[in-house]
Amino acid sequence: MSEIITSMQERFNDVAEKRLKIIEQGSMDTIREVERFYCELQKSIEQRDIEFTENKLPKLLEQLNKYDEDSPSHKLYFKKIDSLIANQTSYSERALADLSVRQDKIITSSLATKERITVHTDQLTAQIVDKIVDSSELLQRSSNDVLPEYRERGQLAEVPSQQLLESKN
């Protein structure tokens, strides 16, 4: 009976291991999709920076140069350009920070899911082993009830348990 339980435990471990592999494989597909999204988002942020630096900023500076340096229009326009530069930088920093936070959430969620599956598999294994042990105890009791009758009739020889185990191995 212990060999059966050990064999079943090995099978349960194999099933649990394969289940985790399936989950990890499914997770890998999800991770690839998320990484693709993050790559596109990062490219978008970089493209926005390039667009601002190479196109918008030169045009803004060109417009600024049309005003006399001491004029209120020049000062006002300069402040506007300075504000746009600060906003562009702030946007990029904020977008990258948000990206990092989202990645952390996905990792945490994935790990929690794997942990829940592992706990569930362990619980199922324990329940099945308990049922096997209960069944083996019931079988043992019923065989003890039936076997004395055969022993009394001389149909079953008395063989010590240790001898049975040695002959089995």
Side-chain angles (χ1 to χ4, degrees), residues 23-86:
I23 291 165
E24 286 175 1
Q25 186 62 39
S27 296
M28 290 306 296
D29 291 341
T30 302
I31 289 168
R32 283 186 198 104
E33 287 296 317
V34 169
E35 287 299 323
R36 200 171 300 128
F37 168 75
Y38 289 144
C39 185
E40 290 173 11
L41 184 59
Q42 187 171 0
K43 285 180 184 177
S44 171
I45 292 167
E46 290 170 359
Q47 189 62 38
R48 182 180 166 141
D49 283 344
I50 290 169
E51 173 68 24
F52 181 79
T53 304
E54 293 180 2
N55 294 329
K56 289 183 181 179
L57 187 59
K59 289 178 183 177
L60 291 170
L61 292 174
E62 183 181 319
Q63 184 65 31
L64 178 67
N65 288 332
K66 292 180 180 178
Y67 300 111
D68 183 35
E69 263 189 59
D70 294 328
S71 72
S73 297
H74 185 275
K75 291 176 185 173
L76 185 64
Y77 207 75
F78 180 80
K79 283 183 182 180
K80 179 65 176 172
I81 291 172
D82 193 41
S83 173
L84 288 172
I85 291 171

